[in-house]
């Protein structure tokens, strides 16, 4: 029997590093973070110098939405929450990596009101579901490789969605996209929002998604049953008239080449996806990831 390698960082260290980063971000002071000598920092799939991007414009990190996960084995942590820029709320997701007690990587996506795509507003009253913070009972946990496979099955289901499910969902599974719940709720003009995750996919409504590519699964929190994934959803725009599996006809919302970059969290309990939290932003069609061939900046 093989044993897991020694952890790179503890859960407590990773959570503390996230809190320190967010406090420094709110203060617009990069010197408050304990950086490694070489750091890779990206915002919305573009590599930036430390202190650029949101660091220039943030006015607040809200404390009402705080979803953390940790992967001590790989020394990575994640945070999903809400920030403000001059009073305007934006949804943010973040992944950090640590080595030797210092931050070596920061990957962020910030979805601002003007960039929400099909989702027009942030639900300010929404709070994280309790299940996200709960430990999974030991008899309902799955090993790292299986958790990744379950999350990857979600993307297989999404890609060229024809109604076939390549993963399993709990009956209560909900999906939050860019701060808006899009399952088991009533959204005007979006009748399938009343359905759960599985039933929406069975309709094949995402048939216009051509690829879910460059999939990465950098963080697995086995204790909490969480997988954080990254990648892109590509829409070629070739399908304008689409047919769902119930025979109904619809128009695709993408009539031109388009891509989303995403960070997505999956909560998995007893082998089933119980919650999905996604942040995605529009990027140039077929844009590549700076994380595929990353080149660190030297911190002076």
């Amino acid at each position: 029997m093989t044993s897991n390698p020694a952890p790179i960082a503890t859960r407590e260290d990773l959570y503390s590093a996230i809190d320190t980063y967010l406090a420094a971000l709110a203060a617009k002071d990069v010197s408050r973070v304990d950086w490694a000598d070489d750091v890779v920092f990206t915002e919305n799939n573009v590599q930036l110098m430390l202190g650029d991007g949101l660091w220039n414009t943030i006015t607040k990190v809200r404390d009402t939405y705080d979803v953390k996960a940790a992967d001590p084995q790989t020394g990575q942590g994640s945070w999903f929450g809400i920030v403000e820029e001059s009073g305007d709320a934006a949804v943010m997701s973040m992944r950090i990596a640590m080595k030797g007690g210092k931050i070596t990587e920061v990957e962020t996506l910030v979805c601002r009101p003007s960039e929400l795509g099909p989702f027009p507003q942030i639900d300010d009253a929404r709070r994280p579901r309790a299940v996200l913070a709960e430990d999974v009972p030991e008899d309902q946990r799955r090993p790292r490789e299986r958790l990744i496979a379950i999350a990857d099955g979600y993307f297989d289901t999404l890609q060229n969605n024809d109604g076939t499910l390549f993963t399993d969902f709990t009956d209560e599974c909900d999906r939050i996209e860019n701060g808006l719940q899009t399952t088991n709720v009533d959204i005007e003009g979006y009748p399938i929002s009343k359905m759960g995750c599985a039933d929406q996919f069975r309709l094949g409504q995402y048939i216009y998604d051509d690829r879910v590519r460059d999939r990465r699964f950098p963080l697995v929190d086995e204790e909490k049953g969480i997988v954080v994934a990254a990648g892109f959803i590509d829409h070629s725009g070739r399908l304008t008239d689409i047919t769902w599996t119930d025979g109904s006809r619809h128009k695709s919302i993408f009539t031109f080449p388009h891509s989303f970059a995403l960070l997505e969290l999956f909560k998995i309990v007893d082998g089933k996806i119980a919650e999905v939290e996604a942040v995605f932003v529009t990027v140039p069609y077929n844009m590549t990831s700076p994380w595929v061939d990353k080149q660190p900046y030297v911190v002076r």
Side-chain angles (χ1 to χ4, degrees):
M1 180 181 296
T2 59
S3 59
N4 289 333
I8 293 175
T10 68
R11 179 180 301 276
E12 293 73 21
D13 287 341
L14 289 163
Y15 282 7
S16 177
I18 290 170
D19 288 338
T20 298
Y21 182 94
L22 293 173
L25 178 64
K28 303 180 182 178
D29 185 357
V30 294
S31 69
R32 295 190 183 189
V33 179
D34 198 2
W35 302 105
D37 290 337
D38 297 329
V39 179
V40 178
F41 165 58
T42 65
E43 184 177 304
N44 291 358
N45 202 52
V46 176
Q47 188 168 1
L48 301 176
M49 293 291 294
L50 294 176
D52 204 355
L54 180 64
W55 285 87
N56 291 316
T57 55
I58 189 168
T59 52
K60 184 178 181 180
V61 176
R62 289 190 181 178
D63 59 8
T64 55
Y65 206 88
D66 179 24
V67 176
K68 294 189 184 77
D71 186 345
Q73 186 173 324
T74 63
Q76 303 203 43
S78 66
W79 180 81
F80 285 67
I82 299 173
V83 297
E84 293 183 13
E85 294 167 297
S86 300
D88 290 328
V91 179
M92 175 174 158
S93 59
M94 176 178 71
R95 176 189 65 83
I96 68 167
M98 296 184 70
K99 189 173 183 180
K102 298 184 177 184
I103 292 181
T104 62
E105 297 179 354
V106 182
E107 179 178 7
T108 58
L109 288 181
V110 183
C111 189
R112 298 174 170 91
S114 61
E115 301 168 335
L116 287 179
F119 308 118
Q121 63 183 18
I122 296 170
D123 183 356
D124 288 326
R126 187 177 57 83
R127 300 294 182 266
R129 285 182 66 191
V131 67
L132 290 174
E134 294 171 353
D135 291 350
V136 175
E138 289 195 19
D139 63 341
Q140 296 181 13
R141 296 180 187 179
R142 296 294 184 272
R144 173 179 299 265
E145 294 77 11
R146 181 61 189 145
L147 290 172
I148 291 174
I150 292 167
D152 198 36
Y154 179 95
F155 291 140
D156 286 339
T157 301
L158 181 63
Q159 181 173 263
N160 296 124
N161 182 211
D162 64 1
T164 305
L165 301 185
F166 293 97
T167 197
D168 294 315
F169 300 89
T170 65
D171 292 338
E172 300 80 19
C173 177
D174 273 321
R175 183 176 61 248
I176 310 298
E177 298 177 280
N178 286 351
L180 183 68
Q181 184 170 326
T182 55
T183 55
N184 299 307
V185 292
D186 190 1
I187 299 176
E188 185 178 357
Y190 190 55
I192 64 170
S193 64
K194 297 178 181 179
M195 298 180 178
C197 295
D199 285 341
Q200 285 185 358
F201 278 125
R202 289 190 180 103
L203 272 181
Q205 64 150 333
Y206 297 109
I207 193 171
Y208 48 71
D209 289 345
D210 293 278
R211 292 180 297 272
V212 184
R213 63 174 166 86
D214 293 346
R215 307 175 194 180
R216 293 179 288 120
F217 302 91
L219 185 156
V220 179
D221 188 332
E222 295 181 66
E223 187 176 309
K224 297 194 178 297
I226 286 176
V227 177
V228 174
F232 301 88
I233 303 174
D234 294 328
H235 313 100
S236 68
R238 60 185 175 81
L239 288 179
T240 55
D241 297 296
I242 59 178
T243 304
W244 291 355
T245 58
D246 64 358
S248 60
R249 300 281 293 172
H250 302 269
K251 291 287 186 180
S252 169
I253 61 174
F254 298 104
T255 57
F256 52 88
H258 173 274
S259 293
F260 282 131
L262 64 88
L263 279 173
E264 197 150 356
L265 178 153
F266 300 93
K267 174 80 178 191
I268 300 168
V269 180
D270 202 17
K272 297 181 179 180
I273 296 176
E275 186 86 357
V276 182
E277 184 102 11
V279 177
F280 46 84
V281 297
T282 294
V283 296
Y285 180 61
N286 210 34
M287 186 179 187
T288 58
S289 169
W291 294 101
V292 173
D293 184 22
K294 59 191 177 189
Q295 298 293 327
Y297 288 124
V298 176
V299 179
R300 300 296 183 186

